[in-house]
Amino acid sequence: MKRRDVLRGVALAGAAAASFPAPAIAQSTPRIQWRLASSYPKSLDTLYGASVEIARRVAEASDHRFEIRVYAGGEIVPGLQVLDAVQNGTVQCGHSASYFYVGKDPTFAFDTAIPFGLNTRQQNAWLYHGGGLPLLRAFFKTYNVVNFPAANTGTQMGGWYRKEIRSVDDLQGLKMRIGGLAGQVVSKLGVIPQQIAGGDIYPALDKGAIDAVEWSGPYDDEKLGFYKVAPHYYYPGWWEGTANVSLLVNLDEWNRLPKRYQAILEQSAAAANLSSTAKYDVLNPPAAKRLIAAGAQFRPFPAEVMEAAYKVAFDLYKETAETNAKFANIYHNWMQFRTDMLSWWRVAEFNFDYFALSHR
Amino acid sequence: MKRRDVLRGVALAGAAAASFPAPAIAQSTPRIQWRLASSYPKSLDTLYGASVEIARRVAEASDHRFEIRVYAGGEIVPGLQVLDAVQNGTVQCGHSASYFYVGKDPTFAFDTAIPFGLNTRQQNAWLYHGGGLPLLRAFFKTYNVVNFPAANTGTQMGGWYRKEIRSVDDLQGLKMRIGGLAGQVVSKLGVIPQQIAGGDIYPALDKGAIDAVEWSGPYDDEKLGFYKVAPHYYYPGWWEGTANVSLLVNLDEWNRLPKRYQAILEQSAAAANLSSTAKYDVLNPPAAKRLIAAGAQFRPFPAEVMEAAYKVAFDLYKETAETNAKFANIYHNWMQFRTDMLSWWRVAEFNFDYFALSHR
C-alpha cells in the first residue's frame, strides 16, 4: 500500500497547514484505471453506449480519478467470453447479457430474461427489491463475479422470417438464429436453432442458409438490414419481455475498491440502466416507422404458436429445476414473484395502458 | 468563495510536500451540508424514503463530505410549499411532486403527470431522452430551480368511494379530495373537488364531509385506512398513469457545486428514481391482497366515465395551450411524443403484457 502511504502524507501535510481534516479524502480517492470488455460492437450505440455512459458517470463523479476504458466486443475479449475474462481477471469488469452463458449453467438466464418471464419494470422490481439480486449474487459469486443491472432493451421483437408463420407446423425444420433458453424452447416446437455471430447473420439469411433470425427490436435490427430478405417481423418477443444487460465485476477487484468508488460504480450502473431503456423507448418508435416504410411486415405471432411455446417453456423450467439445484433455488422465488406481480399488474398498470392504446 | 480559497491552500501545501498533484481532489471535495425539504411525511416510507436514499447515495459517493439532511413535510417547510422554499433559498433542495404547484402555472404538471398522460417508462423516456427535461428545465429556471426526476409511484389507483360509481351521473355533486389538473377535469364532470391535507382526509371521509378520496396506490393508501369507510376502490387512476416526484434544487446552489458533486447528485436522483418504482412494484401486490382481505372492493371505472373524462381532459389541454404559451410549448412536444410512443408500445410491450396477464 505504498501509494496510499504517500497520499496519507500529503493529506496530513495539508491538514497541518490549514487544520483541515483531509486524510479520509486522499485514502478514498486513489487513481484507478479499469478496463471494461463489452459484448457489443460500437455500432450498437444503445448497448455499447450504456457501458460508455457508465464510464462517463464514474469519471465525472470521481473527478476522473476512477477511470474505466471501454472496449467493444472482440477488441480485447470475444463478445461471448466476457464472463470468463472478468472471472479470471483479464479485465476488471465487463458489460454483457448473462444469458449468453447458459451453456455453463441455465441459471444465468434469470439475470437477463427467460421466455415468458417479466417485463422490464417487473424485472427491475425483482432484481432491486424483490430478492432477485441477492439470489443472483450468491450464484455469480461462485464465478468470482458480482453483477449489477446496467442496461435494458425493453420487450424485444420476435424476429425476422423469410416466410409467414401461420401455425406451429410452419416452425417445423425452420433454421433460425436464436440462442439460449429460447433456442431450447423453440427446438421443442420443431425449430432448428443456430448460433451465428452478429456479422454473419445477414449473409446466412440472404443466401438461404437460415430462414429466420431474432436479434433485438426495431432500432437495433434496422442496422442489420434483415427486412430486405426476411420481411415478416413478428411480435412480441416472448422470450425477451425484458433483456437486462449487467455490469459484471471481478469480485477481488470489487472488494479492493474504496467504498466511495463502490458507491459511485453501483449508482452509475443503476442510472445507466434507467437511461438505456429510456433511450430505446425514444429510438424504437421512429425506427419502427422507417422499417414499415421500407417494407417490413409487422405481424403478431399466431395464438397457437404462443400457447404452444408457453407450455413448452414452463415444462422446461420444471424439468431443469428437478436436476439443477441452483436453478431451482432462484426459479421458485422468481415464480412466486411473477405470480404476485401479475395479480397486481392487471389492475392499474394494464388498464391504464389498455385505455391509452385503444384511444390513440 | 472564502472556503474554497482555504481548500486550495490545503491542497497546494500537500502537493508541495509530496510532489503529488492533489489540488483537483481538494477543490472538488469541499465539505458541504444541505437541507432537503420533502413534501411527504416519514410514514410514507416509499416517497419520503426516496429522498433518504438520495441523501445516502450522495454521502456514500462523497465519503460523507457532501451531506444532505432530509426533513419530512412540515418539519421545516409545509409540504405544499417546497418549491417556494427551494426557489427563495430557505433550503438548498426539496423532494416534491411538481403538480402541487399547478396553481402557479399548470405547466408544472408535465413534470409529474397529466390525466391520460404517459405511463412510468414512457414518462422516463420523455424526460431523459425525449426532450422533456430540457423543456421543463427552461421552465423551472424561471423559478430559479433545476429539476431531477427522483421517484415514481407507477400507475396509481383511482381512489376510494363511499358509493359505487356506475355512470357519469353518479359523479354529480360528489365531494372528492382530488387536486391539480385532475380536479379541473373531474369538476367538468360534476365532481366538487376538495383540497384536504393528508391527516385530515380520513376524518372528513368518516363523518361524511366528503364522499371520495384519491391518494396513491395500495401500499400507501392502506396506511390511511380509507377502506374502512369508503370500500369501493376504482382503477385505473387515469389522472396518474405515472407520478414522477422531482428533486428540486435551487439554481444558485446547483451552480456553486463542484462538478463532481453535481454528477453525484444527478446520478443519485436517477438511481433513486429507478429504485423507488421497483420498491412500489414489490410492495403494492401484497398490500392489494391485504386490502381485499380487509373488504376493499376493487372495481374498474365504467367505460362511460373513462370516455367522458378523456374527452374533457384533452379539451382542457387545448384550451390551456391557447392562453398559456409556456404550457403550449411543452404540450405540443409532449403530445407528439405520446402519439409516437403509443404507436410502438402497442406492438411488443403491450402484447407481451397482455399474453402474460391472460395466462396467470
Short mmCIF file of all heavy atoms in Angstrom, two decimals, chain A residues 217-274:
data_model
loop_
_atom_site.label_atom_id
_atom_site.label_comp_id
_atom_site.label_asym_id
_atom_site.label_seq_id
_atom_site.Cartn_x
_atom_site.Cartn_y
_atom_site.Cartn_z
N GLY A 217 -34.78 -5.22 -31.20
CA GLY A 217 -36.01 -4.51 -31.55
C GLY A 217 -35.74 -3.62 -32.75
O GLY A 217 -34.65 -3.67 -33.33
N PRO A 218 -36.71 -2.79 -33.16
CA PRO A 218 -36.59 -2.02 -34.40
C PRO A 218 -35.30 -1.24 -34.56
O PRO A 218 -34.65 -1.31 -35.60
CB PRO A 218 -37.81 -1.08 -34.33
CG PRO A 218 -38.82 -1.85 -33.54
CD PRO A 218 -38.03 -2.62 -32.52
N TYR A 219 -34.90 -0.49 -33.52
CA TYR A 219 -33.73 0.38 -33.70
C TYR A 219 -32.45 -0.41 -33.94
O TYR A 219 -31.67 -0.09 -34.83
CB TYR A 219 -33.58 1.29 -32.48
CG TYR A 219 -32.41 2.25 -32.62
CD1 TYR A 219 -32.49 3.35 -33.46
CD2 TYR A 219 -31.22 2.02 -31.92
CE1 TYR A 219 -31.42 4.21 -33.61
CE2 TYR A 219 -30.14 2.88 -32.06
CZ TYR A 219 -30.24 3.98 -32.91
OH TYR A 219 -29.17 4.82 -33.05
N ASP A 220 -32.24 -1.45 -33.14
CA ASP A 220 -31.03 -2.27 -33.33
C ASP A 220 -31.12 -3.10 -34.61
O ASP A 220 -30.13 -3.24 -35.35
CB ASP A 220 -30.83 -3.22 -32.14
CG ASP A 220 -30.43 -2.49 -30.85
OD1 ASP A 220 -29.96 -1.34 -30.93
OD2 ASP A 220 -30.60 -3.09 -29.77
N ASP A 221 -32.29 -3.67 -34.86
CA ASP A 221 -32.45 -4.57 -36.02
C ASP A 221 -32.30 -3.85 -37.36
O ASP A 221 -31.77 -4.41 -38.32
CB ASP A 221 -33.85 -5.22 -35.99
CG ASP A 221 -33.98 -6.28 -34.89
OD1 ASP A 221 -33.01 -6.47 -34.13
OD2 ASP A 221 -35.05 -6.89 -34.79
N GLU A 222 -32.77 -2.61 -37.39
CA GLU A 222 -32.74 -1.84 -38.63
C GLU A 222 -31.33 -1.79 -39.22
O GLU A 222 -31.14 -1.90 -40.44
CB GLU A 222 -33.22 -0.41 -38.33
CG GLU A 222 -33.34 0.50 -39.52
CD GLU A 222 -33.68 1.94 -39.09
OE1 GLU A 222 -33.44 2.30 -37.92
OE2 GLU A 222 -34.19 2.68 -39.94
N LYS A 223 -30.34 -1.67 -38.33
CA LYS A 223 -28.95 -1.53 -38.78
C LYS A 223 -28.45 -2.75 -39.53
O LYS A 223 -27.54 -2.65 -40.34
CB LYS A 223 -28.04 -1.30 -37.58
CG LYS A 223 -28.32 0.02 -36.91
CD LYS A 223 -27.48 0.18 -35.67
CE LYS A 223 -27.84 1.50 -35.02
NZ LYS A 223 -27.37 1.59 -33.67
N LEU A 224 -29.02 -3.91 -39.18
CA LEU A 224 -28.51 -5.14 -39.80
C LEU A 224 -29.23 -5.48 -41.10
O LEU A 224 -28.85 -6.41 -41.80
CB LEU A 224 -28.56 -6.29 -38.79
CG LEU A 224 -27.66 -6.06 -37.56
CD1 LEU A 224 -27.69 -7.25 -36.62
CD2 LEU A 224 -26.21 -5.76 -37.96
N GLY A 225 -30.29 -4.75 -41.41
CA GLY A 225 -30.90 -4.86 -42.74
C GLY A 225 -31.73 -6.10 -43.01
O GLY A 225 -32.06 -6.38 -44.17
N PHE A 226 -32.10 -6.84 -41.96
CA PHE A 226 -32.83 -8.10 -42.17
C PHE A 226 -34.12 -7.93 -42.99
O PHE A 226 -34.55 -8.84 -43.69
CB PHE A 226 -33.21 -8.74 -40.84
CG PHE A 226 -32.04 -8.98 -39.92
CD1 PHE A 226 -32.12 -8.65 -38.57
CD2 PHE A 226 -30.85 -9.53 -40.41
CE1 PHE A 226 -31.04 -8.88 -37.73
CE2 PHE A 226 -29.77 -9.76 -39.56
CZ PHE A 226 -29.87 -9.42 -38.21
N TYR A 227 -34.74 -6.76 -42.87
CA TYR A 227 -36.02 -6.53 -43.53
C TYR A 227 -35.94 -6.71 -45.06
O TYR A 227 -36.94 -6.99 -45.71
CB TYR A 227 -36.56 -5.13 -43.21
CG TYR A 227 -35.67 -4.01 -43.66
CD1 TYR A 227 -35.84 -3.41 -44.90
CD2 TYR A 227 -34.64 -3.55 -42.84
CE1 TYR A 227 -35.01 -2.39 -45.32
CE2 TYR A 227 -33.80 -2.53 -43.25
CZ TYR A 227 -33.99 -1.95 -44.48
OH TYR A 227 -33.15 -0.94 -44.90
N LYS A 228 -34.74 -6.60 -45.58
CA LYS A 228 -34.60 -6.72 -47.03
C LYS A 228 -34.81 -8.14 -47.54
O LYS A 228 -35.25 -8.35 -48.66
CB LYS A 228 -33.20 -6.25 -47.47
CG LYS A 228 -32.95 -4.77 -47.21
CD LYS A 228 -31.52 -4.40 -47.58
CE LYS A 228 -31.07 -3.16 -46.84
NZ LYS A 228 -29.60 -3.07 -46.74
N VAL A 229 -34.45 -9.13 -46.70
CA VAL A 229 -34.55 -10.53 -47.16
C VAL A 229 -35.52 -11.37 -46.34
O VAL A 229 -35.89 -12.47 -46.77
CB VAL A 229 -33.16 -11.22 -47.17
CG1 VAL A 229 -32.38 -10.76 -48.40
CG2 VAL A 229 -32.38 -10.93 -45.90
N ALA A 230 -35.92 -10.90 -45.18
CA ALA A 230 -36.86 -11.66 -44.34
C ALA A 230 -37.84 -10.66 -43.74
O ALA A 230 -37.73 -10.26 -42.60
CB ALA A 230 -36.11 -12.41 -43.23
N PRO A 231 -38.83 -10.22 -44.54
CA PRO A 231 -39.63 -9.05 -44.17
C PRO A 231 -40.70 -9.28 -43.10
O PRO A 231 -41.29 -8.32 -42.63
CB PRO A 231 -40.28 -8.65 -45.50
CG PRO A 231 -40.37 -9.92 -46.28
CD PRO A 231 -39.18 -10.73 -45.88
N HIS A 232 -40.97 -10.56 -42.75
CA HIS A 232 -42.04 -10.81 -41.78
C HIS A 232 -41.49 -10.66 -40.37
O HIS A 232 -40.68 -11.46 -39.92
CB HIS A 232 -42.64 -12.20 -42.01
CG HIS A 232 -43.11 -12.39 -43.42
ND1 HIS A 232 -44.26 -11.80 -43.91
CD2 HIS A 232 -42.55 -13.05 -44.47
CE1 HIS A 232 -44.40 -12.11 -45.19
NE2 HIS A 232 -43.38 -12.86 -45.56
N TYR A 233 -41.96 -9.61 -39.69
CA TYR A 233 -41.36 -9.19 -38.41
C TYR A 233 -42.39 -9.45 -37.32
O TYR A 233 -43.39 -8.72 -37.23
CB TYR A 233 -41.01 -7.70 -38.53
CG TYR A 233 -40.04 -7.14 -37.51
CD1 TYR A 233 -39.10 -7.94 -36.86
CD2 TYR A 233 -40.04 -5.78 -37.23
CE1 TYR A 233 -38.20 -7.39 -35.96
CE2 TYR A 233 -39.13 -5.22 -36.33
CZ TYR A 233 -38.21 -6.03 -35.70
OH TYR A 233 -37.32 -5.49 -34.82
N TYR A 234 -42.15 -10.49 -36.51
CA TYR A 234 -43.17 -10.93 -35.56
C TYR A 234 -43.01 -10.33 -34.17
O TYR A 234 -41.91 -9.99 -33.73
CB TYR A 234 -43.16 -12.47 -35.49
CG TYR A 234 -43.95 -13.06 -36.64
CD1 TYR A 234 -43.34 -13.29 -37.88
CD2 TYR A 234 -45.31 -13.32 -36.51
CE1 TYR A 234 -44.07 -13.78 -38.94
CE2 TYR A 234 -46.04 -13.82 -37.57
CZ TYR A 234 -45.44 -14.05 -38.78
OH TYR A 234 -46.16 -14.53 -39.82
N TYR A 235 -44.13 -10.23 -33.47
CA TYR A 235 -44.15 -9.72 -32.09
C TYR A 235 -45.18 -10.48 -31.29
O TYR A 235 -46.09 -11.07 -31.87
CB TYR A 235 -44.43 -8.21 -32.08
CG TYR A 235 -45.77 -7.80 -32.64
CD1 TYR A 235 -46.94 -7.83 -31.86
CD2 TYR A 235 -45.89 -7.35 -33.96
CE1 TYR A 235 -48.17 -7.44 -32.38
CE2 TYR A 235 -47.12 -6.97 -34.49
CZ TYR A 235 -48.25 -7.01 -33.70
OH TYR A 235 -49.46 -6.64 -34.21
N PRO A 236 -45.08 -10.48 -29.95
CA PRO A 236 -43.94 -9.94 -29.20
C PRO A 236 -42.82 -10.96 -29.11
O PRO A 236 -43.04 -12.14 -29.36
CB PRO A 236 -44.55 -9.73 -27.81
CG PRO A 236 -45.54 -10.86 -27.68
CD PRO A 236 -46.10 -11.07 -29.05
N GLY A 237 -41.62 -10.49 -28.76
CA GLY A 237 -40.52 -11.41 -28.48
C GLY A 237 -40.78 -12.05 -27.13
O GLY A 237 -40.33 -11.56 -26.11
N TRP A 238 -41.55 -13.14 -27.17
CA TRP A 238 -41.99 -13.74 -25.89
C TRP A 238 -40.85 -14.32 -25.09
O TRP A 238 -40.98 -14.60 -23.91
CB TRP A 238 -43.10 -14.78 -26.12
CG TRP A 238 -42.82 -15.76 -27.23
CD1 TRP A 238 -43.28 -15.69 -28.51
CD2 TRP A 238 -42.02 -16.94 -27.17
NE1 TRP A 238 -42.81 -16.76 -29.24
CE2 TRP A 238 -42.05 -17.54 -28.45
CE3 TRP A 238 -41.27 -17.57 -26.15
CZ2 TRP A 238 -41.36 -18.72 -28.74
CZ3 TRP A 238 -40.59 -18.74 -26.43
CH2 TRP A 238 -40.64 -19.31 -27.72
N TRP A 239 -39.70 -14.49 -25.69
CA TRP A 239 -38.54 -14.98 -24.93
C TRP A 239 -37.73 -13.84 -24.33
O TRP A 239 -36.81 -14.08 -23.58
CB TRP A 239 -37.66 -15.90 -25.78
CG TRP A 239 -37.26 -15.33 -27.11
CD1 TRP A 239 -36.16 -14.57 -27.36
CD2 TRP A 239 -37.95 -15.48 -28.36
NE1 TRP A 239 -36.12 -14.23 -28.68
CE2 TRP A 239 -37.20 -14.78 -29.33
CE3 TRP A 239 -39.12 -16.13 -28.75
CZ2 TRP A 239 -37.59 -14.71 -30.66
CZ3 TRP A 239 -39.50 -16.06 -30.08
CH2 TRP A 239 -38.74 -15.35 -31.01
N GLU A 240 -38.09 -12.61 -24.72
CA GLU A 240 -37.39 -11.46 -24.15
C GLU A 240 -38.36 -10.32 -23.87
O GLU A 240 -38.36 -9.29 -24.53
CB GLU A 240 -36.26 -11.00 -25.08
CG GLU A 240 -35.05 -11.90 -24.96
CD GLU A 240 -34.05 -11.70 -26.09
OE1 GLU A 240 -34.45 -11.65 -27.26
OE2 GLU A 240 -32.86 -11.61 -25.79
N GLY A 241 -39.21 -10.54 -22.86
CA GLY A 241 -40.12 -9.49 -22.42
C GLY A 241 -39.33 -8.35 -21.80
O GLY A 241 -39.81 -7.22 -21.66
N THR A 242 -38.13 -8.64 -21.43
CA THR A 242 -37.16 -7.70 -20.92
C THR A 242 -35.80 -8.26 -21.32
O THR A 242 -35.72 -9.43 -21.69
CB THR A 242 -37.26 -7.58 -19.38
OG1 THR A 242 -36.40 -6.54 -18.92
CG2 THR A 242 -36.83 -8.89 -18.69
N ALA A 243 -34.76 -7.47 -21.31
CA ALA A 243 -33.42 -8.01 -21.51
C ALA A 243 -32.45 -7.14 -20.74
O ALA A 243 -32.00 -6.09 -21.22
CB ALA A 243 -33.07 -8.08 -22.99
N ASN A 244 -32.16 -7.58 -19.53
CA ASN A 244 -31.22 -6.83 -18.70
C ASN A 244 -29.79 -7.20 -19.07
O ASN A 244 -29.45 -8.37 -19.19
CB ASN A 244 -31.45 -7.17 -17.22
CG ASN A 244 -30.34 -6.61 -16.35
OD1 ASN A 244 -30.09 -5.40 -16.37
ND2 ASN A 244 -29.65 -7.46 -15.62
N VAL A 245 -28.98 -6.18 -19.28
CA VAL A 245 -27.55 -6.38 -19.53
C VAL A 245 -26.82 -5.93 -18.26
O VAL A 245 -27.14 -4.89 -17.70
CB VAL A 245 -27.10 -5.55 -20.76
CG1 VAL A 245 -25.59 -5.61 -20.93
CG2 VAL A 245 -27.81 -6.08 -22.00
N SER A 246 -25.91 -6.76 -17.79
CA SER A 246 -25.28 -6.47 -16.49
C SER A 246 -23.86 -5.97 -16.60
O SER A 246 -23.12 -6.33 -17.53
CB SER A 246 -25.30 -7.74 -15.62
OG SER A 246 -26.57 -7.90 -15.04
N LEU A 247 -23.49 -5.16 -15.63
CA LEU A 247 -22.08 -4.85 -15.40
C LEU A 247 -21.56 -5.98 -14.53
O LEU A 247 -22.05 -6.20 -13.42
CB LEU A 247 -21.96 -3.51 -14.66
CG LEU A 247 -20.55 -3.08 -14.27
CD1 LEU A 247 -19.74 -2.68 -15.50
CD2 LEU A 247 -20.60 -1.92 -13.27
N LEU A 248 -20.61 -6.73 -15.07
CA LEU A 248 -20.03 -7.87 -14.35
C LEU A 248 -18.66 -7.43 -13.83
O LEU A 248 -17.81 -7.01 -14.61
CB LEU A 248 -19.88 -9.07 -15.29
CG LEU A 248 -21.18 -9.53 -15.98
CD1 LEU A 248 -20.88 -10.64 -16.98
CD2 LEU A 248 -22.21 -9.98 -14.95
N VAL A 249 -18.47 -7.51 -12.52
CA VAL A 249 -17.23 -7.02 -11.92
C VAL A 249 -16.51 -8.17 -11.23
O VAL A 249 -17.13 -8.95 -10.48
CB VAL A 249 -17.52 -5.89 -10.91
CG1 VAL A 249 -16.23 -5.37 -10.27
CG2 VAL A 249 -18.28 -4.75 -11.58
N ASN A 250 -15.21 -8.27 -11.48
CA ASN A 250 -14.40 -9.26 -10.80
C ASN A 250 -14.48 -9.01 -9.29
O ASN A 250 -14.28 -7.88 -8.83
CB ASN A 250 -12.94 -9.16 -11.28
CG ASN A 250 -12.02 -10.13 -10.58
OD1 ASN A 250 -11.62 -9.89 -9.44
ND2 ASN A 250 -11.68 -11.22 -11.25
N LEU A 251 -14.77 -10.04 -8.52
CA LEU A 251 -15.07 -9.88 -7.10
C LEU A 251 -13.87 -9.35 -6.31
O LEU A 251 -14.04 -8.52 -5.40
CB LEU A 251 -15.54 -11.22 -6.53
CG LEU A 251 -16.31 -11.19 -5.22
CD1 LEU A 251 -17.50 -10.25 -5.26
CD2 LEU A 251 -16.78 -12.61 -4.88
N ASP A 252 -12.66 -9.79 -6.65
CA ASP A 252 -11.47 -9.31 -5.94
C ASP A 252 -11.26 -7.82 -6.21
O ASP A 252 -10.94 -7.05 -5.30
CB ASP A 252 -10.22 -10.09 -6.37
CG ASP A 252 -10.40 -11.59 -6.17
OD1 ASP A 252 -10.94 -11.98 -5.11
OD2 ASP A 252 -10.02 -12.35 -7.07
N GLU A 253 -11.47 -7.43 -7.48
CA GLU A 253 -11.31 -6.02 -7.83
C GLU A 253 -12.37 -5.18 -7.12
O GLU A 253 -12.10 -4.07 -6.66
CB GLU A 253 -11.42 -5.82 -9.35
CG GLU A 253 -10.33 -6.50 -10.15
CD GLU A 253 -8.97 -5.83 -9.99
OE1 GLU A 253 -8.91 -4.69 -9.48
OE2 GLU A 253 -7.96 -6.45 -10.39
N TRP A 254 -13.58 -5.71 -7.05
CA TRP A 254 -14.66 -5.01 -6.35
C TRP A 254 -14.30 -4.81 -4.88
O TRP A 254 -14.44 -3.72 -4.34
CB TRP A 254 -15.97 -5.81 -6.49
CG TRP A 254 -17.08 -5.29 -5.63
CD1 TRP A 254 -17.56 -5.85 -4.47
CD2 TRP A 254 -17.87 -4.10 -5.85
NE1 TRP A 254 -18.59 -5.09 -3.96
CE2 TRP A 254 -18.79 -4.01 -4.78
CE3 TRP A 254 -17.85 -3.11 -6.83
CZ2 TRP A 254 -19.72 -2.96 -4.68
CZ3 TRP A 254 -18.77 -2.06 -6.73
CH2 TRP A 254 -19.68 -2.00 -5.67
N ASN A 255 -13.81 -5.86 -4.26
CA ASN A 255 -13.50 -5.77 -2.83
C ASN A 255 -12.35 -4.82 -2.55
O ASN A 255 -12.24 -4.27 -1.45
CB ASN A 255 -13.20 -7.17 -2.26
CG ASN A 255 -14.46 -8.02 -2.17
OD1 ASN A 255 -15.56 -7.49 -1.99
ND2 ASN A 255 -14.31 -9.33 -2.31
N ARG A 256 -11.50 -4.63 -3.53
CA ARG A 256 -10.36 -3.72 -3.36
C ARG A 256 -10.74 -2.25 -3.53
O ARG A 256 -9.95 -1.37 -3.17
CB ARG A 256 -9.28 -4.05 -4.40
CG ARG A 256 -8.25 -5.06 -3.92
CD ARG A 256 -6.98 -4.98 -4.76
NE ARG A 256 -7.12 -5.61 -6.06
CZ ARG A 256 -6.93 -6.91 -6.28
NH1 ARG A 256 -6.57 -7.72 -5.29
NH2 ARG A 256 -7.07 -7.42 -7.49
N LEU A 257 -11.89 -1.98 -4.12
CA LEU A 257 -12.29 -0.58 -4.36
C LEU A 257 -12.60 0.13 -3.05
O LEU A 257 -13.23 -0.45 -2.16
CB LEU A 257 -13.56 -0.52 -5.20
CG LEU A 257 -13.50 -0.68 -6.72
CD1 LEU A 257 -14.91 -0.45 -7.29
CD2 LEU A 257 -12.52 0.29 -7.37
N PRO A 258 -12.18 1.39 -2.92
CA PRO A 258 -12.65 2.17 -1.77
C PRO A 258 -14.18 2.22 -1.79
O PRO A 258 -14.79 2.19 -2.87
CB PRO A 258 -12.07 3.56 -2.02
CG PRO A 258 -10.96 3.37 -3.00
CD PRO A 258 -11.31 2.17 -3.81
N LYS A 259 -14.77 2.30 -0.62
CA LYS A 259 -16.24 2.31 -0.51
C LYS A 259 -16.87 3.39 -1.39
O LYS A 259 -17.92 3.22 -1.98
CB LYS A 259 -16.66 2.54 0.95
CG LYS A 259 -16.66 1.29 1.79
CD LYS A 259 -17.46 1.53 3.08
CE LYS A 259 -17.76 0.22 3.80
NZ LYS A 259 -16.61 -0.67 3.97
N ARG A 260 -16.21 4.54 -1.43
CA ARG A 260 -16.74 5.65 -2.24
C ARG A 260 -16.86 5.24 -3.71
O ARG A 260 -17.84 5.54 -4.38
CB ARG A 260 -15.82 6.85 -2.10
CG ARG A 260 -16.00 7.90 -3.15
CD ARG A 260 -14.92 8.96 -3.07
NE ARG A 260 -15.31 9.99 -2.11
CZ ARG A 260 -14.59 11.09 -1.87
NH1 ARG A 260 -13.43 11.27 -2.47
NH2 ARG A 260 -15.01 11.98 -1.02
N TYR A 261 -15.84 4.57 -4.20
CA TYR A 261 -15.86 4.15 -5.60
C TYR A 261 -16.87 3.03 -5.82
O TYR A 261 -17.48 2.94 -6.88
CB TYR A 261 -14.47 3.71 -6.06
CG TYR A 261 -13.47 4.82 -6.25
CD1 TYR A 261 -12.17 4.54 -6.64
CD2 TYR A 261 -13.80 6.16 -6.04
CE1 TYR A 261 -11.22 5.54 -6.81
CE2 TYR A 261 -12.87 7.16 -6.20
CZ TYR A 261 -11.58 6.85 -6.59
OH TYR A 261 -10.65 7.85 -6.76
N GLN A 262 -17.03 2.17 -4.82
CA GLN A 262 -18.07 1.14 -4.93
C GLN A 262 -19.43 1.81 -5.09
O GLN A 262 -20.24 1.43 -5.94
CB GLN A 262 -18.08 0.24 -3.69
CG GLN A 262 -16.90 -0.71 -3.60
CD GLN A 262 -17.00 -1.65 -2.40
OE1 GLN A 262 -17.69 -1.36 -1.43
NE2 GLN A 262 -16.28 -2.77 -2.48
N ALA A 263 -19.68 2.83 -4.27
CA ALA A 263 -20.97 3.54 -4.33
C ALA A 263 -21.15 4.19 -5.69
O ALA A 263 -22.23 4.12 -6.30
CB ALA A 263 -21.06 4.58 -3.21
N ILE A 264 -20.10 4.83 -6.19
CA ILE A 264 -20.18 5.52 -7.48
C ILE A 264 -20.43 4.52 -8.61
O ILE A 264 -21.27 4.75 -9.50
CB ILE A 264 -18.88 6.32 -7.74
CG1 ILE A 264 -18.85 7.57 -6.83
CG2 ILE A 264 -18.76 6.72 -9.20
CD1 ILE A 264 -17.54 8.34 -6.86
N LEU A 265 -19.74 3.39 -8.58
CA LEU A 265 -19.91 2.39 -9.65
C LEU A 265 -21.32 1.82 -9.63
O LEU A 265 -21.97 1.69 -10.67
CB LEU A 265 -18.87 1.28 -9.48
CG LEU A 265 -18.78 0.27 -10.63
CD1 LEU A 265 -18.41 0.96 -11.94
CD2 LEU A 265 -17.77 -0.84 -10.31
N GLU A 266 -21.81 1.52 -8.44
CA GLU A 266 -23.14 0.92 -8.31
C GLU A 266 -24.22 1.87 -8.81
O GLU A 266 -25.13 1.48 -9.55
CB GLU A 266 -23.38 0.54 -6.84
CG GLU A 266 -24.65 -0.25 -6.58
CD GLU A 266 -25.82 0.61 -6.22
OE1 GLU A 266 -25.61 1.78 -5.83
OE2 GLU A 266 -26.96 0.11 -6.35
N GLN A 267 -24.14 3.14 -8.43
CA GLN A 267 -25.21 4.05 -8.85
C GLN A 267 -25.04 4.49 -10.30
O GLN A 267 -26.03 4.82 -10.97
CB GLN A 267 -25.35 5.23 -7.89
CG GLN A 267 -24.23 6.23 -7.88
CD GLN A 267 -24.34 7.13 -6.64
OE1 GLN A 267 -24.83 6.75 -5.58
NE2 GLN A 267 -23.89 8.36 -6.76
N SER A 268 -23.82 4.46 -10.82
CA SER A 268 -23.63 4.73 -12.24
C SER A 268 -24.29 3.64 -13.09
O SER A 268 -24.91 3.92 -14.12
CB SER A 268 -22.14 4.80 -12.59
OG SER A 268 -21.55 5.93 -11.99
N ALA A 269 -24.16 2.40 -12.63
CA ALA A 269 -24.80 1.29 -13.35
C ALA A 269 -26.32 1.43 -13.29
O ALA A 269 -27.01 1.23 -14.30
CB ALA A 269 -24.36 -0.04 -12.74
N ALA A 270 -26.85 1.79 -12.13
CA ALA A 270 -28.31 1.95 -11.99
C ALA A 270 -28.82 3.07 -12.88
O ALA A 270 -29.84 2.94 -13.57
CB ALA A 270 -28.68 2.21 -10.53
N ALA A 271 -28.09 4.19 -12.90
CA ALA A 271 -28.51 5.33 -13.72
C ALA A 271 -28.45 4.96 -15.21
O ALA A 271 -29.33 5.34 -15.98
CB ALA A 271 -27.64 6.55 -13.42
N ALA A 272 -27.42 4.21 -15.60
CA ALA A 272 -27.31 3.79 -17.00
C ALA A 272 -28.40 2.79 -17.36
O ALA A 272 -28.89 2.78 -18.49
CB ALA A 272 -25.93 3.18 -17.25
N ASN A 273 -28.78 1.97 -16.41
CA ASN A 273 -29.86 1.02 -16.63
C ASN A 273 -31.15 1.77 -17.01
O ASN A 273 -31.75 1.53 -18.06
CB ASN A 273 -30.07 0.20 -15.35
CG ASN A 273 -31.12 -0.90 -15.50
OD1 ASN A 273 -31.51 -1.25 -16.61
ND2 ASN A 273 -31.59 -1.43 -14.38
N LEU A 274 -31.51 2.74 -16.18
CA LEU A 274 -32.72 3.53 -16.43
C LEU A 274 -32.60 4.31 -17.74
O LEU A 274 -33.52 4.33 -18.57
CB LEU A 274 -32.93 4.49 -15.26
CG LEU A 274 -34.14 5.42 -15.31
CD1 LEU A 274 -35.43 4.64 -15.40
CD2 LEU A 274 -34.16 6.32 -14.06
#
